[in-house]
């Protein structure tokens, strides 16, 4: 297995899955030449700083995905780092889940709903839009017609909890704010995938499993290392068959 993407941008890289993406990408047999790790507060992201100190491919940029000026600055910085190579892979990982609320009809608020849509959907769409020229550059350099993450791709880190089919069948109630936002992210994935297919950009939503992170909690069955190891194998193999789809960490297509 290997990912051949030479230039990669990961959002939400301060901790949890985003940090582990960065760590394991560096351990691939063919690690990226440029790996931009975006996080809200680089000074506080000590584990990420350590990775950057020991590997020159890692470039840390300050990015709150809700802030348009920071997105613009990030794209400028990424453009400078990647140059003529363009950007092969954008991993839209940053996300939130307020667990203080059960998120049933009785307690959900407008503010909480809007916040989740802002971070988990709108920001992923805006990141994809702003990175588009860099993704197009990478895509245009490839001689191949096939879609792949080594050529040009956007991976939306989504969640099985956004699957209407599965929640309707047997899934737990609650967290309406989070689940609706991930369902909307999946729709964005479908639309972007169809729009960008002809310019050679793959767009896929990926469920990383229920993982022991701050968000997933210690009750989660999966460790971070295991989740990201499988996610990377799946991302490395992703192509036409997963374009516009929600897939899990093993590469299985999940129902929307
Ligand atoms: P964590 O809560 O552990 O980490 C979330 C990351 O997102 C942090 O790096 C955080 O940065 C960042 N983030 C939050 N808001 C913003 C923002 N406005 N701008 C930039 N970065 C932001 O979560 P996970 O690592 O578990 O989750 C990562 C992704 O995986 C999310 O999209 C989540 O929905 C998804 N997911 C996770 C599952 C799990 O079981 N863990 C299951 C299914 C999906 P900071 O440190 O600054 O707060």
């Amino acid at each position: 297995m290997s990912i051949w993407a030479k230039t990669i941008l990961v959002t939400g890289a301060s901790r949890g899955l985003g940090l582990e993406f960065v760590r394991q990408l560096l351990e691939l047999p063919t690690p990226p030449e440029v790996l931009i790790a975006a996080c809200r507060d680089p000074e506080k992201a000590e584990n990420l700083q350590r990775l950057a100190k020991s590997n020159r491919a890692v470039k840390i940029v300050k990015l709150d995905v809700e802030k348009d000026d920071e997105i613009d600055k990030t794209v400028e910085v990424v453009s400078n780092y990647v140059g003529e190579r363009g950007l092969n892979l954008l991993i839209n990982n940053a996300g939130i889940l307020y667990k203080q609320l059960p998120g049933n009809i009785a307690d959900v608020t407008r503010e909480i709903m809007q916040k989740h849509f802002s971070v988990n959907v709108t920001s992923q769409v805006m990141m994809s839009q702003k990175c588009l020229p860099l993704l197009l550059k990478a895509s245009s350099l490839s001689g191949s017609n096939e879609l792949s993450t080594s050529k040009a791709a956007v991976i939306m880190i989504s969640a099985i909890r956004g699957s209407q089919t599965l929640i309707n069948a047997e899934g737990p109630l609650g967290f309406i704010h989070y689940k609706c936002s991930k369902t909307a992210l999946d729709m964005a994935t479908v639309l972007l995938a169809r729009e960008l297919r002809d310019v050679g950009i793959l767009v896929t939503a990926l469920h990383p499993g229920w993982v022991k992170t701050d968000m997933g909690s210690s009750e989660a069955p999966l460790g971070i290392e295991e989740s990201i190891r499988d996610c990377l194998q799946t991302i490395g193999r992703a192509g036409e068959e997963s374009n516009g789809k929600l897939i899990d960490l093993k590469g299985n297509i999940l129902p929307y």
Side-chain angles (χ1 to χ4, degrees), residues 197-213:
R197 169 66 190 90
D198 288 346
V199 289
I201 300 173
L202 172 75
V203 187
T204 297
L206 174 67
H207 167 59
W210 181 18
V211 195
K212 287 186 199 354
T213 61

Side-chain angles (χ1 to χ4, degrees), residues 12 14-15 17 40 64-65 93 157-158 178 182 209 211 213:
S14 57
R15 59 193 165 93
L17 300 180
R40 279 197 283 201
D64 181 329
V65 291
N93 164 77
I157 303 300
S158 189
Y178 180 74
K182 291 295 188 183
V211 195
T213 61

Side-chain angles (χ1 to χ4, degrees), residues 1-3 28 228-238 249:
M1 184 289 293
S2 91
I3 278 196
L28 288 173
I228 296 303
R229 193 183 58 232
D230 286 350
C231 284
L232 285 182
Q233 287 204 3
T234 293
I235 289 172
R237 285 194 307 260
L249 64 167

Side-chain angles (χ1 to χ4, degrees), residues 35-251:
L35 174 50
I36 297 117
C39 65
R40 279 197 283 201
D41 192 345
E43 280 182 18
K44 286 197 190 142
E46 287 164 14
N47 291 328
L48 183 60
Q49 293 283 4
R50 261 194 290 281
L51 284 178
K53 268 196 194 118
S54 61
N55 195 309
R56 294 182 55 188
V58 181
K59 315 289 182 193
I60 300 178
V61 297
K62 176 174 163 49
L63 173 65
D64 181 329
V65 291
E66 285 190 283
K67 296 187 175 156
D68 286 334
D69 59 331
E70 292 191 10
I71 294 182
D72 287 340
K73 253 185 227 149
T74 296
V75 172
E76 204 181 307
V77 170
V78 172
S79 177
N80 288 336
Y81 280 130
V82 300
E84 287 312 307
R85 289 169 288 198
L87 182 64
N88 297 123
L89 177 59
L90 165 63
I91 303 182
N92 276 321
N93 164 77
I96 54 165
L97 161 58
Y98 281 9
K99 290 185 279 189
Q100 297 88 327
L101 279 186
N104 295 313
I105 191 63
D107 59 68
V108 73
T109 65
R110 178 181 296 278
E111 193 195 357
I112 289 287
M113 287 293 291
Q114 285 180 342
K115 181 74 180 171
H116 281 71
F117 271 75
S118 173
V119 177
N120 293 353
V121 192
T122 312
S123 297
Q124 320 308 331
V125 173
M126 298 322 297
M127 280 299 299
S128 308
Q129 180 195 68
K130 297 290 185 164
C131 287
L132 192 53
L134 301 177
L135 291 160
L136 283 170
K137 195 180 266 187
S139 168
S140 70
L141 290 176
S142 160
S144 161
N145 248 347
E146 287 178 17
L147 295 176
S148 74
T149 48
S150 56
K151 179 176 161 186
V154 178
I155 299 293
M156 307 286 200
I157 303 300
S158 189
I160 200 169
R161 295 261 169 123
S163 163
Q164 295 181 64
T165 307
L166 297 177
I167 291 290
N168 198 27
E170 62 199 23
L173 295 177
F175 290 154
I176 189 171
H177 43 293
Y178 180 74
K179 289 172 183 165
C180 288
S181 72
K182 291 295 188 183
T183 308
L185 178 63
D186 292 345
M187 177 55 93
T189 302
V190 170
L191 294 171
L192 263 62
R194 288 192 54 198
E195 228 185 300
L196 300 178
R197 169 66 190 90
D198 288 346
V199 289
I201 300 173
L202 172 75
V203 187
T204 297
L206 174 67
H207 167 59
W210 181 18
V211 195
K212 287 186 199 354
T213 61
D214 293 337
M215 183 185 291
S217 87
S218 56
E219 286 167 41
L222 270 181
I224 297 186
E225 268 189 54
E226 189 184 350
S227 161
I228 296 303
R229 193 183 58 232
D230 286 350
C231 284
L232 285 182
Q233 287 204 3
T234 293
I235 289 172
R237 285 194 307 260
E240 190 74 57
E241 69 299 332
S242 45
N243 192 39
K245 300 287 196 304
L246 171 64
I247 57 173
D248 71 10
L249 64 167
K250 299 279 189 191

